[in-house]
Amino acid sequence: MILAEDGFDALAKINDHQPALVFCDILMPRLDGYQTCALIKKNPHFAQTPVIMLSSRDGVFDRARGRMVGSEHYLTKPFTKEELLGAIQ
């Protein structure tokens, strides 16, 4: 597992380590999760990398925005172990 401090740090680490799956918190400093996910998906090398958005926001708009930027799943905090494993599958 590799952790990033913010969206810019996440993009650098994704480029360096090429993960099979990315968890992206919505509320991050400097570059939020939506922007980070959109940039991941615009990169041809990582467009197929699954991104799971994590947020305490559970509104319809928030979930729709997550889908619009390319996330495969959106989990609302707090989530259960089963919800997490289901999103990964």
Side-chain angles (χ1 to χ4, degrees):
M1 178 175 11
I2 299 165
L3 299 176
E5 295 293 321
D6 58 38
F8 288 113
D9 187 31
L11 293 173
K13 288 180 177 176
I14 289 167
N15 191 54
D16 291 345
H17 300 283
Q18 303 181 13
L21 173 67
V22 174
F23 290 98
C24 192
D25 198 332
I26 301 295
L27 300 176
M28 294 188 294
R30 300 194 316 154
L31 193 64
D32 71 24
Y34 297 119
Q35 295 165 318
T36 302
C37 182
L39 290 170
I40 291 167
K41 294 301 184 172
K42 285 181 183 177
N43 184 321
H45 293 100
F46 304 110
Q48 299 304 313
T49 301
V51 177
I52 298 175
M53 307 295 281
L54 307 174
S55 180
S56 57
R57 297 179 178 179
D58 194 21
V60 173
F61 175 76
D62 300 304
R63 290 179 173 277
R65 190 170 175 203
R67 287 286 184 197
M68 287 172 46
V69 297
S71 70
E72 279 69 29
H73 210 294
Y74 188 104
L75 287 176
T76 304
K77 299 178 210 173
F79 46 84
T80 66
K81 176 182 173 183
E82 290 76 23
E83 290 171 319
L84 178 62
L85 293 174
I88 292 169
Q89 290 178 351

